[in-house]
Amino acid sequence: MHIEIPHQFSRKEAVNRVKQSLNKSRAQMLQQAPDLKTEWDADTLRFSLTVQGKHIDGTLAVEEKQFVLDAKLPLLWRMFEGKIEKTIKEQIAQLG
């Protein structure tokens, strides 16, 4: 899955907002995905987790004017990419 989502922040502010959002929701995310791993490499967040027995890993790159999400979805979840993309865009909209 590849999603590009525009933002209006500076790159530094966008990174900070993603970090704050992750910190706020980490406890809730760990309930759904106890093996959640996140690691920042400059302005790119690398993540991996298992949800409903399915492993997902990917990156969220914070660019100057957009977020770029790349994730490997399990085969059966690919039919729901549109719905997953909509949910992700809604969550990113809440960063503002």
Side-chain angles (χ1 to χ4, degrees):
M1 175 169 61
H2 178 84
I3 306 172
E4 296 178 5
I5 306 165
H7 67 75
Q8 298 179 352
F9 311 112
S10 70
R11 186 183 300 222
K12 181 179 179 181
E13 179 65 19
V15 168
N16 285 337
R17 287 176 184 253
V18 171
K19 287 180 178 180
Q20 289 172 357
S21 179
L22 284 172
N23 286 338
K24 279 187 201 175
S25 60
R26 183 169 287 281
Q28 180 182 357
M29 290 187 306
L30 287 171
Q31 288 178 357
Q32 300 295 318
D35 67 336
L36 172 68
K37 292 182 179 64
T38 59
E39 180 182 350
W40 284 92
D41 180 11
D43 295 334
T44 300
L45 172 67
R46 299 185 187 290
F47 61 88
S48 67
L49 63 147
T50 303
V51 178
Q52 298 176 356
K54 308 290 186 210
H55 185 74
I56 301 169
D57 60 2
T59 60
L60 175 68
V62 180
E63 297 182 351
E64 202 59 45
K65 298 290 181 195
Q66 67 182 358
F67 298 104
V68 179
L69 175 75
D70 286 298
K72 295 177 186 174
L73 293 179
L75 182 61
L76 293 175
W77 288 16
R78 291 185 188 159
M79 69 179 86
F80 301 106
E81 273 190 46
K83 187 172 185 168
I84 294 168
E85 181 175 342
K86 181 181 178 219
T87 301
I88 290 169
K89 286 181 176 181
E90 288 170 355
Q91 290 176 343
I92 288 181
Q94 293 176 9
L95 295 176

